[in-house]
Amino acid sequence: MALRFADRVKDTSTTTGTGVCTVSGSPPASYQALSVIAVGQPISYEIVGQTGSEVEGGEGVVLSATTFSRLRVTASSNNNALVNLSAGTKDVFITISADYMNRTATRGEINAVIAGIAMP
């Protein structure tokens, strides 16, 4: 199933460990909540610690209006593996990662998008 995206999806999280990420459900002004993406949809995410150097980007699946799984890490501050998130607030957002764009470009889908051709 293709990754799902939405504009300006950002929130914060105090999740710790390597499991499911839970966001606050109250995004900053001018941003949308994770809930704009349907449960069960795959996403591309970034988690960035507000202090320190924790960073993780990857792909997961929306589990609820405020949770998503962290299934495939594409880049992180932990040698590109799951980050064992420490206490503190993290920014969490939906994004189109370089990894996704590079894989898409390899399949020729970017040219189809630019040309306005629908892809299956």
Side-chain angles (χ1 to χ4, degrees):
M1 184 180 289
L3 293 174
R4 305 305 287 179
F5 300 98
D7 293 329
R8 299 177 333 279
V9 176
K10 179 180 178 181
D11 208 330
T12 58
S13 176
T14 55
T15 295
T16 58
T18 59
V20 168
C21 183
T22 301
V23 297
S24 75
S26 299
S30 300
Y31 288 93
Q32 296 190 88
L34 177 65
S35 61
V36 301
I37 299 176
V39 170
Q41 294 298 309
I43 57 169
S44 177
Y45 69 88
E46 291 284 333
I47 302 171
V48 181
Q50 290 184 350
T51 58
S53 59
E54 292 180 323
V55 176
E56 179 181 299
E59 296 172 2
V61 173
V62 175
L63 302 174
S64 74
T66 58
T67 61
F68 65 90
S69 63
R70 297 156 61 194
L71 298 176
R72 179 179 174 266
V73 176
T74 57
S76 81
S77 57
N78 183 30
N79 272 341
N80 299 331
L82 276 171
V83 173
N84 187 4
L85 299 170
S86 61
T89 302
K90 281 73 92 178
D91 291 316
V92 178
F93 48 97
I94 305 302
T95 185
I96 299 176
S97 70
D99 176 76
Y100 176 78
M101 292 302 287
N102 289 333
R103 286 185 288 129
T104 302
T106 301
R107 294 189 309 255
E109 293 177 11
I110 289 178
N111 290 334
V113 170
I114 291 170
I117 300 169
M119 295 299 293

